[in-house]
Coordinates of all heavy atoms in Angstrom, one line a residue:
K215 N -68.5 -234.1 59.5 CA -69.6 -233.0 59.6 C -70.2 -232.7 58.3 O -71.3 -232.1 58.2 CB -68.9 -231.8 60.3 CG -68.5 -232.0 61.7 CD -67.9 -230.8 62.3 CE -67.5 -231.0 63.8 NZ -66.9 -229.8 64.4
G216 N -69.4 -232.9 57.2 CA -69.9 -232.5 55.9 C -70.5 -233.7 55.2 O -70.7 -233.7 53.9
A217 N -70.8 -234.8 55.9 CA -71.3 -236.0 55.2 C -72.7 -235.9 54.7 O -73.1 -236.5 53.7 CB -71.3 -237.2 56.2
M218 N -73.5 -235.0 55.3 CA -74.9 -234.9 54.9 C -75.0 -233.8 53.8 O -74.4 -232.7 54.0 CB -75.8 -234.5 56.1 CG -76.0 -235.7 57.0 SD -77.5 -235.6 58.0 CE -78.1 -234.0 58.0
T219 N -75.7 -234.0 52.8 CA -76.0 -233.0 51.8 C -77.0 -232.0 52.3 O -77.7 -232.2 53.3 CB -76.5 -233.7 50.5 OG1 -77.8 -234.3 50.7 CG2 -75.5 -234.7 50.0
G220 N -77.1 -230.9 51.6 CA -78.1 -229.9 52.0 C -79.5 -230.5 52.0 O -80.4 -230.1 52.8
E221 N -79.8 -231.3 51.0 CA -81.2 -231.9 50.9 C -81.5 -232.8 52.2 O -82.6 -232.7 52.7 CB -81.3 -232.8 49.7 CG -81.3 -232.0 48.4 CD -79.9 -231.7 47.8 OE1 -79.0 -232.0 48.6 OE2 -79.8 -231.2 46.8
L222 N -80.5 -233.6 52.6 CA -80.7 -234.4 53.8 C -80.8 -233.6 55.0 O -81.5 -233.9 56.0 CB -79.6 -235.4 53.9 CG -79.6 -236.5 52.8 CD1 -78.4 -237.5 53.0 CD2 -80.9 -237.3 52.7
E223 N -80.0 -232.5 55.1 CA -80.1 -231.6 56.3 C -81.5 -231.0 56.3 O -82.1 -230.9 57.4 CB -79.1 -230.5 56.2 CG -77.7 -231.1 56.5 CD -76.6 -230.0 56.4 OE1 -77.0 -228.9 55.9 OE2 -75.5 -230.2 56.8
D224 N -82.0 -230.5 55.2 CA -83.4 -230.0 55.2 C -84.4 -231.0 55.6 O -85.4 -230.7 56.3 CB -83.7 -229.4 53.8 CG -82.8 -228.2 53.4 OD1 -82.3 -227.6 54.3 OD2 -82.7 -227.9 52.2
L225 N -84.2 -232.2 55.1 CA -85.2 -233.3 55.4 C -85.1 -233.6 56.9 O -86.2 -233.7 57.6 CB -84.8 -234.6 54.7 CG -85.6 -235.8 55.0 CD1 -87.1 -235.6 54.8 CD2 -85.2 -237.0 54.2
A226 N -83.9 -233.6 57.5 CA -83.8 -233.8 59.0 C -84.5 -232.8 59.8 O -85.2 -233.0 60.7 CB -82.4 -234.0 59.4
D227 N -84.3 -231.5 59.3 CA -85.0 -230.4 60.0 C -86.5 -230.5 59.9 O -87.3 -230.3 60.9 CB -84.5 -229.0 59.5 CG -83.1 -228.8 59.8 OD1 -82.5 -229.4 60.7 OD2 -82.4 -228.0 59.1
A228 N -87.0 -230.8 58.7 CA -88.4 -230.9 58.5 C -89.0 -232.1 59.3 O -90.1 -231.9 59.9 CB -88.7 -231.1 57.0
M229 N -88.3 -233.2 59.3 CA -88.8 -234.3 60.1 C -88.9 -234.0 61.6 O -89.8 -234.3 62.3 CB -87.9 -235.5 59.9 CG -88.0 -236.2 58.5 SD -89.6 -237.0 58.2 CE -89.4 -238.4 59.3
S230 N -87.9 -233.2 62.1 CA -87.9 -232.9 63.5 C -89.0 -231.9 63.8 O -89.7 -232.1 64.8 CB -86.5 -232.2 63.8 OG -86.5 -231.7 65.2
R231 N -89.3 -231.0 62.9 CA -90.4 -230.1 63.1 C -91.8 -230.8 63.1 O -92.6 -230.6 64.0 CB -90.4 -229.0 62.1 CG -91.6 -228.0 62.1 CD -91.4 -226.8 61.2 NE -92.5 -225.9 61.2 CZ -93.5 -226.0 60.3 NH1 -93.5 -226.8 59.3 NH2 -94.5 -225.1 60.4
M232 N -91.9 -231.7 62.1 CA -93.2 -232.5 62.0 C -93.4 -233.3 63.3 O -94.5 -233.4 63.8 CB -93.2 -233.3 60.8 CG -94.5 -234.1 60.6 SD -94.4 -235.3 59.3 CE -93.5 -236.6 60.0
E233 N -92.3 -234.0 63.7 CA -92.3 -234.8 64.9 C -92.8 -234.0 66.1 O -93.7 -234.5 66.8 CB -91.0 -235.4 65.2 CG -90.9 -236.3 66.4 CD -91.3 -237.7 66.0 OE1 -91.5 -238.0 64.8 OE2 -91.4 -238.6 67.0
F234 N -92.3 -232.8 66.3 CA -92.6 -232.0 67.5 C -94.1 -231.6 67.4 O -94.9 -231.7 68.3 CB -91.7 -230.8 67.6 CG -92.2 -229.8 68.6 CD1 -92.2 -230.0 69.9 CD2 -92.9 -228.6 68.1 CE1 -92.7 -229.0 70.8 CE2 -93.4 -227.7 68.9 CZ -93.3 -227.9 70.3
L235 N -94.5 -231.1 66.2 CA -95.8 -230.5 66.1 C -96.9 -231.6 66.2 O -97.9 -231.4 66.8 CB -96.0 -229.8 64.7 CG -95.2 -228.5 64.5 CD1 -95.3 -228.0 63.1 CD2 -95.7 -227.5 65.5
E236 N -96.6 -232.8 65.6 CA -97.6 -233.9 65.8 C -97.7 -234.4 67.2 O -98.8 -234.7 67.7 CB -97.3 -235.0 64.8 CG -97.6 -234.6 63.3 CD -97.6 -235.8 62.4 OE1 -97.1 -236.8 62.8 OE2 -98.1 -235.7 61.3
R237 N -96.6 -234.5 67.8 CA -96.6 -234.9 69.2 C -97.3 -233.8 70.1 O -98.1 -234.2 71.0 CB -95.2 -235.1 69.8 CG -94.5 -236.4 69.3 CD -93.3 -236.7 70.0 NE -92.7 -238.0 69.5 CZ -93.0 -239.2 69.9 NH1 -94.0 -239.3 70.8 NH2 -92.4 -240.2 69.4
S238 N -97.1 -232.6 69.8 CA -97.8 -231.5 70.5 C -99.3 -231.6 70.3 O -100.1 -231.3 71.2 CB -97.2 -230.1 70.1 OG -95.8 -230.0 70.4
L239 N -99.6 -231.9 69.0 CA -101.1 -232.0 68.7 C -101.8 -233.1 69.5 O -102.9 -232.9 69.9 CB -101.2 -232.2 67.2 CG -102.6 -232.2 66.6 CD1 -103.3 -230.8 66.8 CD2 -102.6 -232.5 65.1
L240 N -101.0 -234.2 69.7 CA -101.6 -235.3 70.5 C -101.8 -234.9 71.9 O -102.6 -235.6 72.6 CB -100.8 -236.5 70.3 CG -100.7 -237.2 69.0 CD1 -99.9 -238.4 69.0 CD2 -102.1 -237.5 68.4
T241 N -101.1 -233.9 72.4 CA -101.2 -233.6 73.9 C -102.3 -232.6 74.1 O -102.7 -232.3 75.2 CB -99.9 -232.9 74.4 OG1 -99.7 -231.7 73.7 CG2 -98.7 -233.8 74.1
I242 N -102.9 -232.1 73.0 CA -104.0 -231.1 73.1 C -105.3 -231.8 73.4 O -105.7 -232.7 72.7 CB -104.2 -230.3 71.9 CG1 -102.9 -229.4 71.7 CG2 -105.4 -229.4 72.0 CD1 -102.9 -228.6 70.4
P243 N -106.0 -231.5 74.5 CA -107.2 -232.2 74.9 C -108.4 -231.9 74.1 O -109.1 -230.9 74.2 CB -107.4 -231.7 76.4 CG -106.8 -230.4 76.4 CD -105.6 -230.5 75.5
S244 N -108.7 -232.8 73.1 CA -109.8 -232.5 72.2 C -110.8 -233.7 72.3 O -111.9 -233.6 71.6 CB -109.3 -232.4 70.7 OG -108.6 -233.6 70.4
G245 N -110.6 -234.7 73.1 CA -111.5 -235.8 73.2 C -112.6 -235.4 74.3 O -112.3 -234.7 75.2
Q246 N -113.8 -235.9 74.1 CA -114.9 -235.6 75.1 C -114.6 -236.4 76.4 O -114.3 -237.6 76.4 CB -116.2 -236.1 74.5 CG -116.7 -235.3 73.3 CD -117.1 -233.9 73.7 OE1 -117.5 -233.6 74.8 NE2 -116.8 -233.0 72.8
P247 N -114.6 -235.6 77.5 CA -114.3 -236.3 78.8 C -115.3 -237.2 79.3 O -115.1 -238.0 80.2 CB -114.1 -235.1 79.7 CG -114.9 -234.0 79.1 CD -114.9 -234.2 77.7
T248 N -116.5 -237.1 78.8 CA -117.6 -238.0 79.2 C -118.6 -238.1 78.1 O -118.6 -237.3 77.1 CB -118.3 -237.5 80.5 OG1 -119.2 -238.4 80.9 CG2 -119.0 -236.1 80.3
G249 N -119.6 -239.0 78.2 CA -120.5 -239.2 77.1 C -121.7 -238.2 77.1 O -122.5 -238.3 76.2
S250 N -121.8 -237.3 78.1 CA -122.9 -236.4 78.1 C -122.7 -235.3 77.0 O -121.7 -234.6 76.9 CB -122.9 -235.7 79.5 OG -123.1 -236.7 80.5
P251 N -123.7 -235.1 76.2 CA -123.6 -234.1 75.1 C -123.9 -232.7 75.5 O -123.5 -231.7 74.8 CB -124.6 -234.6 74.1 CG -125.7 -235.2 74.9 CD -125.0 -235.8 76.1
M252 N -124.6 -232.4 76.6 CA -125.0 -231.1 77.0 C -124.2 -230.5 78.2 O -123.5 -231.3 78.9 CB -126.5 -231.1 77.4 CG -126.9 -232.0 78.5 SD -128.6 -232.0 78.9 CE -128.7 -230.4 79.7
L253 N -124.2 -229.2 78.3 CA -123.5 -228.5 79.4 C -124.5 -227.9 80.3 O -125.6 -227.4 79.9 CB -122.6 -227.4 78.8 CG -121.5 -227.9 77.9 CD1 -120.8 -226.7 77.4 CD2 -120.5 -228.8 78.6
T254 N -124.2 -227.9 81.6 CA -125.1 -227.1 82.6 C -124.4 -225.8 83.0 O -125.1 -225.0 83.6 CB -125.3 -228.0 83.8 OG1 -124.0 -228.4 84.4 CG2 -126.1 -229.3 83.5
S255 N -123.1 -225.6 82.7 CA -122.5 -224.4 83.1 C -121.3 -224.2 82.2 O -120.5 -225.2 82.0 CB -122.0 -224.4 84.6 OG -121.5 -223.2 84.9
S256 N -121.1 -223.0 81.6 CA -120.0 -222.7 80.7 C -118.8 -222.1 81.4 O -118.9 -221.7 82.6 CB -120.5 -221.9 79.5 OG -121.5 -222.5 78.8
Y257 N -117.7 -221.9 80.6 CA -116.5 -221.2 81.1 C -116.8 -219.7 81.2 O -117.4 -219.1 80.4 CB -115.4 -221.5 80.2 CG -114.1 -220.8 80.5 CD1 -113.2 -221.3 81.4 CD2 -113.8 -219.5 79.9 CE1 -112.0 -220.6 81.7 CE2 -112.6 -218.9 80.1 CZ -111.7 -219.4 81.1 OH -110.6 -218.7 81.3
G258 N -116.3 -219.1 82.3 CA -116.3 -217.6 82.4 C -117.3 -217.2 83.5 O -117.5 -217.8 84.6
Y259 N -118.0 -216.1 83.2 CA -118.9 -215.4 84.3 C -120.1 -216.3 84.5 O -120.7 -216.8 83.5 CB -119.3 -214.0 83.8 CG -120.4 -213.5 84.6 CD1 -120.1 -212.9 85.9 CD2 -121.7 -213.5 84.2 CE1 -121.2 -212.4 86.6 CE2 -122.7 -213.0 84.9 CZ -122.5 -212.4 86.2 OH -123.5 -211.9 86.9
R260 N -120.5 -216.4 85.7 CA -121.8 -217.0 86.1 C -122.2 -216.6 87.5 O -121.4 -216.0 88.2 CB -121.7 -218.6 86.0 CG -120.9 -219.2 87.2 CD -121.0 -220.7 87.2 NE -120.3 -221.2 88.3 CZ -120.3 -222.5 88.6 NH1 -120.9 -223.4 87.8 NH2 -119.6 -223.0 89.7
R261 N -123.4 -216.9 87.9 CA -123.9 -216.7 89.3 C -123.5 -217.9 90.1 O -123.8 -219.0 89.6 CB -125.3 -216.3 89.3 CG -125.7 -215.0 88.8 CD -127.2 -214.6 89.1 NE -127.5 -213.3 88.6 CZ -127.3 -212.2 89.3 NH1 -126.7 -212.3 90.5 NH2 -127.6 -211.0 88.8
D262 N -122.9 -217.7 91.2 CA -122.6 -218.9 92.0 C -123.8 -219.6 92.4 O -124.8 -219.0 92.9 CB -121.8 -218.4 93.3 CG -121.3 -219.6 94.1 OD1 -120.3 -220.1 93.8 OD2 -122.0 -219.9 95.1
P263 N -123.9 -221.0 92.3 CA -125.1 -221.7 92.5 C -125.4 -221.8 94.0 O -126.6 -222.2 94.4 CB -124.8 -223.1 92.0 CG -123.3 -223.2 92.0 CD -122.8 -221.8 91.7
F264 N -124.5 -221.4 94.9 CA -124.8 -221.5 96.3 C -125.2 -220.1 96.9 O -126.1 -220.1 97.7 CB -123.5 -222.0 97.1 CG -123.3 -223.5 96.8 CD1 -122.5 -224.0 95.8 CD2 -123.9 -224.4 97.7 CE1 -122.3 -225.3 95.6 CE2 -123.7 -225.8 97.4 CZ -122.9 -226.2 96.4
N265 N -124.5 -219.0 96.5 CA -124.8 -217.7 97.1 C -125.4 -216.7 96.1 O -125.7 -215.6 96.5 CB -123.6 -217.2 97.8 CG -122.4 -217.0 96.9 OD1 -122.6 -216.8 95.7 ND2 -121.2 -217.2 97.4
G266 N -125.4 -217.1 94.8 CA -125.9 -216.2 93.8 C -125.1 -215.0 93.4 O -125.5 -214.2 92.6
H267 N -123.9 -214.9 94.0 CA -123.0 -213.8 93.6 C -122.3 -214.1 92.3 O -122.1 -215.2 91.9 CB -122.0 -213.6 94.7 CG -122.6 -213.2 96.0 ND1 -121.9 -213.2 97.2 CD2 -123.8 -212.7 96.3 CE1 -122.7 -212.8 98.2 NE2 -123.9 -212.4 97.7
A268 N -121.8 -213.0 91.7 CA -121.0 -213.1 90.5 C -119.7 -213.9 90.7 O -119.1 -213.6 91.7 CB -120.7 -211.7 89.9
A269 N -119.4 -214.8 89.9 CA -118.3 -215.6 90.1 C -117.6 -216.0 88.7 O -118.3 -215.9 87.7 CB -118.6 -216.9 90.9
F270 N -116.4 -216.5 88.8 CA -115.7 -217.0 87.6 C -115.7 -218.5 87.7 O -115.2 -219.1 88.6 CB -114.3 -216.4 87.6 CG -113.4 -217.0 86.5 CD1 -113.6 -216.7 85.2 CD2 -112.4 -218.0 86.8 CE1 -112.8 -217.2 84.2 CE2 -111.7 -218.5 85.8 CZ -111.9 -218.1 84.5
H271 N -116.1 -219.1 86.6 CA -116.2 -220.5 86.5 C -115.0 -220.9 85.5 O -115.0 -220.6 84.4 CB -117.5 -221.0 85.9 CG -117.7 -222.5 85.9 ND1 -118.1 -223.2 84.8 CD2 -117.5 -223.4 86.9 CE1 -118.2 -224.5 85.2 NE2 -117.8 -224.6 86.5
A272 N -114.0 -221.7 86.1 CA -112.8 -222.0 85.3 C -112.9 -223.2 84.4 O -111.9 -223.6 83.8 CB -111.7 -222.3 86.3
G273 N -114.1 -223.8 84.2 CA -114.2 -224.9 83.4 C -115.6 -225.1 82.8 O -116.4 -224.1 82.7
L274 N -115.9 -226.3 82.4 CA -117.2 -226.7 81.8 C -117.8 -227.8 82.7 O -117.1 -228.6 83.2 CB -117.1 -227.2 80.4 CG -116.5 -226.3 79.4 CD1 -116.4 -227.0 78.0 CD2 -117.3 -225.0 79.2
D275 N -119.1 -227.7 82.9 CA -119.8 -228.7 83.7 C -120.7 -229.6 82.8 O -121.4 -229.1 81.9 CB -120.8 -228.1 84.7 CG -120.0 -227.5 85.9 OD1 -118.8 -227.8 86.0 OD2 -120.6 -226.7 86.6
F276 N -120.5 -231.0 82.9 CA -121.2 -231.9 82.1 C -122.1 -232.8 83.1 O -121.6 -233.4 84.0 CB -120.2 -232.9 81.4 CG -119.4 -232.2 80.4 CD1 -118.2 -231.6 80.7 CD2 -119.8 -232.3 79.0 CE1 -117.4 -231.0 79.7 CE2 -119.0 -231.7 78.1 CZ -117.8 -231.1 78.4
P277 N -123.4 -232.7 82.9 CA -124.3 -233.6 83.8 C -124.2 -235.0 83.3 O -123.8 -235.3 82.2 CB -125.7 -233.0 83.5 CG -125.6 -232.5 82.1 CD -124.2 -232.0 81.9
G278 N -124.7 -235.9 84.2 CA -124.7 -237.3 83.8 C -125.2 -238.2 84.9 O -125.6 -237.6 86.0
R279 N -125.1 -239.5 84.8 CA -125.6 -240.4 85.8 C -124.4 -240.7 86.8 O -123.2 -240.6 86.4 CB -126.1 -241.6 85.2 CG -125.1 -242.5 84.6 CD -125.7 -243.8 84.0 NE -124.7 -244.7 83.5 CZ -124.1 -244.6 82.4 NH1 -124.4 -243.6 81.5 NH2 -123.1 -245.5 82.0
Y280 N -124.7 -241.0 88.0 CA -123.7 -241.3 89.0 C -122.9 -242.5 88.6 O -123.5 -243.6 88.2 CB -124.4 -241.6 90.3 CG -123.5 -241.7 91.5 CD1 -123.1 -240.6 92.2 CD2 -123.0 -242.9 91.9 CE1 -122.2 -240.7 93.3 CE2 -122.1 -243.1 93.0 CZ -121.7 -241.9 93.6 OH -120.9 -242.0 94.7
G281 N -121.6 -242.5 88.6 CA -120.7 -243.6 88.3 C -120.4 -243.6 86.8 O -119.7 -244.5 86.4
Q282 N -120.9 -242.7 86.0 CA -120.6 -242.7 84.6 C -119.1 -242.5 84.3 O -118.4 -241.8 85.0 CB -121.4 -241.5 83.9 CG -121.2 -241.4 82.4 CD -122.1 -240.3 81.9 OE1 -123.3 -240.2 82.3 NE2 -121.6 -239.5 81.0
P283 N -118.5 -243.2 83.3 CA -117.1 -243.2 83.1 C -116.6 -241.8 82.7 O -117.3 -241.1 82.0 CB -116.8 -244.2 82.0 CG -118.0 -245.1 82.0 CD -119.2 -244.2 82.5
I284 N -115.5 -241.4 83.3 CA -114.8 -240.1 82.9 C -113.6 -240.5 82.2 O -112.7 -241.3 82.7 CB -114.5 -239.3 84.2 CG1 -115.7 -239.0 85.0 CG2 -113.8 -238.0 83.8 CD1 -116.8 -238.3 84.2
N285 N -113.4 -239.9 81.0 CA -112.3 -240.3 80.1 C -111.3 -239.2 79.9 O -111.6 -238.0 79.9 CB -112.9 -240.7 78.7 CG -114.0 -241.7 78.8 OD1 -113.9 -242.7 79.6 ND2 -115.0 -241.6 78.0
A286 N -110.0 -239.6 79.7 CA -109.0 -238.6 79.4 C -109.2 -237.9 78.1 O -109.6 -238.6 77.1 CB -107.6 -239.3 79.4
A287 N -109.0 -236.6 78.0 CA -109.3 -235.9 76.8 C -108.1 -235.9 75.8 O -108.2 -235.5 74.7 CB -109.6 -234.4 77.1
A288 N -106.9 -236.4 76.3 CA -105.7 -236.5 75.4 C -104.7 -237.4 76.1 O -104.9 -237.8 77.3 CB -105.1 -235.1 75.2
D289 N -103.7 -237.8 75.3 CA -102.6 -238.6 75.9 C -101.9 -237.8 77.0 O -101.8 -236.6 76.9 CB -101.6 -239.0 74.8 CG -102.2 -239.9 73.7 OD1 -103.4 -240.3 73.8 OD2 -101.5 -240.2 72.7
G290 N -101.5 -238.5 78.0 CA -100.7 -237.8 79.0 C -100.3 -238.7 80.2 O -100.3 -240.0 80.0
K291 N -100.0 -238.1 81.3 CA -99.6 -238.8 82.5 C -100.3 -238.3 83.7 O -100.4 -237.1 83.9 CB -98.1 -238.7 82.6 CG -97.5 -239.5 83.8 CD -95.9 -239.3 83.7 CE -95.3 -240.2 84.8 NZ -93.8 -240.0 84.8
V292 N -100.9 -239.2 84.5 CA -101.6 -238.7 85.7 C -100.7 -238.1 86.7 O -99.7 -238.7 87.1 CB -102.4 -239.9 86.3 CG1 -103.1 -239.5 87.6 CG2 -103.4 -240.5 85.3
S293 N -100.9 -236.9 87.0 CA -100.1 -236.1 88.0 C -100.7 -236.0 89.4 O -99.9 -235.7 90.3 CB -99.7 -234.8 87.4 OG -100.9 -234.0 87.2
Y294 N -102.0 -236.1 89.5 CA -102.6 -236.0 90.8 C -103.9 -236.8 90.9 O -104.7 -236.8 90.0 CB -102.9 -234.5 91.1 CG -103.5 -234.3 92.5 CD1 -102.7 -234.1 93.6 CD2 -104.9 -234.1 92.7 CE1 -103.2 -233.9 94.9 CE2 -105.4 -233.9 93.9 CZ -104.6 -233.8 95.0 OH -105.1 -233.6 96.3
V295 N -104.0 -237.5 92.0 CA -105.3 -238.2 92.3 C -105.6 -238.0 93.8 O -104.8 -238.3 94.6 CB -105.2 -239.7 92.0 CG1 -106.4 -240.5 92.5 CG2 -104.9 -240.0 90.5
G296 N -106.7 -237.3 94.1 CA -107.0 -237.0 95.4 C -108.1 -236.0 95.6 O -108.9 -235.8 94.6
Q297 N -108.1 -235.2 96.7 CA -109.1 -234.2 96.9 C -108.5 -232.8 96.9 O -107.4 -232.6 97.3 CB -109.8 -234.4 98.3 CG -110.6 -235.7 98.3 CD -111.4 -235.8 99.6 OE1 -111.1 -235.1 100.6 NE2 -112.5 -236.6 99.6
R298 N -109.3 -231.9 96.4 CA -108.9 -230.5 96.4 C -110.1 -229.7 96.9 O -111.3 -230.0 96.6 CB -108.5 -230.0 95.0 CG -107.1 -230.6 94.5 CD -106.6 -229.8 93.4 NE -105.3 -230.3 92.8 CZ -104.1 -230.2 93.3 NH1 -104.0 -229.4 94.5 NH2 -103.1 -230.7 92.8
Q299 N -109.8 -228.6 97.6 CA -110.9 -227.8 98.2 C -111.8 -227.3 97.1 O -111.4 -226.7 96.1 CB -110.3 -226.6 99.0 CG -111.3 -225.8 99.7 CD -110.7 -224.7 100.6 OE1 -109.5 -224.6 100.6 NE2 -111.5 -224.0 101.3
G300 N -113.1 -227.5 97.3 CA -114.1 -227.0 96.4 C -114.3 -228.0 95.2 O -115.4 -228.0 94.6
Y301 N -113.3 -228.8 94.9 CA -113.4 -229.7 93.7 C -113.9 -231.1 94.1 O -114.3 -231.9 93.3 CB -112.1 -229.8 93.0 CG -111.7 -228.5 92.2 CD1 -110.8 -227.6 92.8 CD2 -112.2 -228.3 91.0 CE1 -110.4 -226.5 92.1 CE2 -111.8 -227.2 90.2 CZ -110.9 -226.3 90.8 OH -110.5 -225.2 90.1
G302 N -113.7 -231.4 95.4 CA -113.9 -232.8 95.8 C -112.9 -233.7 95.3 O -111.7 -233.4 95.3
N303 N -113.3 -234.9 94.9 CA -112.3 -235.9 94.3 C -111.9 -235.4 92.9 O -112.7 -235.1 92.0 CB -113.0 -237.3 94.2 CG -113.2 -237.9 95.6 OD1 -112.6 -237.5 96.5 ND2 -114.3 -238.7 95.7
V304 N -110.6 -235.4 92.7 CA -110.0 -234.8 91.5 C -109.0 -235.8 90.9 O -108.2 -236.4 91.6 CB -109.3 -233.5 91.8 CG1 -108.6 -233.0 90.6 CG2 -110.4 -232.5 92.2
V305 N -108.9 -235.8 89.6 CA -107.8 -236.5 88.8 C -107.3 -235.4 87.9 O -108.0 -234.7 87.2 CB -108.3 -237.7 88.0 CG1 -107.2 -238.2 87.1 CG2 -108.7 -238.8 88.9
E306 N -105.9 -235.2 87.9 CA -105.3 -234.2 87.0 C -104.3 -235.0 86.1 O -103.6 -235.9 86.6 CB -104.6 -233.2 87.8 CG -105.5 -232.3 88.7 CD -104.8 -231.3 89.5 OE1 -103.5 -231.3 89.6 OE2 -105.5 -230.5 90.2
V307 N -104.3 -234.6 84.9 CA -103.4 -235.2 83.9 C -102.6 -234.2 83.2 O -103.1 -233.2 82.7 CB -104.3 -236.0 82.8 CG1 -103.4 -236.6 81.8 CG2 -105.2 -237.0 83.5
E308 N -101.2 -234.4 83.2 CA -100.3 -233.6 82.5 C -100.1 -234.1 81.1 O -99.8 -235.3 80.9 CB -98.9 -233.5 83.2 CG -99.0 -232.9 84.6 CD -99.1 -231.4 84.5 OE1 -98.9 -230.8 83.4 OE2 -99.4 -230.8 85.6

Side-chain angles (χ1 to χ4, degrees):
K215 295 181 180 179
M218 290 202 344
T219 64
E221 290 84 356
L222 292 180
E223 289 179 348
D224 293 342
L225 175 58
D227 292 341
M229 289 290 289
S230 177
R231 177 172 177 262
M232 183 189 74
E233 181 85 5
F234 166 76
L235 290 173
E236 288 194 342
R237 285 191 180 277
S238 298
L239 186 60
L240 293 183
T241 66
I242 296 176
S244 57
Q246 292 294 326
T248 186
S250 301
M252 58 178 288
L253 299 176
T254 55
S255 185
S256 298
Y257 173 88
Y259 168 81
R260 74 171 182 178
R261 289 187 177 276
D262 185 82
F264 288 92
N265 57 33
H267 296 166
F270 173 73
H271 188 228
L274 300 177
D275 288 345
F276 294 85
R279 70 180 186 278
Y280 188 86
Q282 182 173 316
I284 303 301
N285 307 320
D289 297 356
K291 186 176 183 180
V292 178
S293 58
Y294 182 83
V295 175
Q297 292 187 341
R298 292 195 183 279
Q299 184 177 3
Y301 290 97
N303 293 332
V304 171
V305 172
E306 295 177 355
V307 180
E308 295 286 348

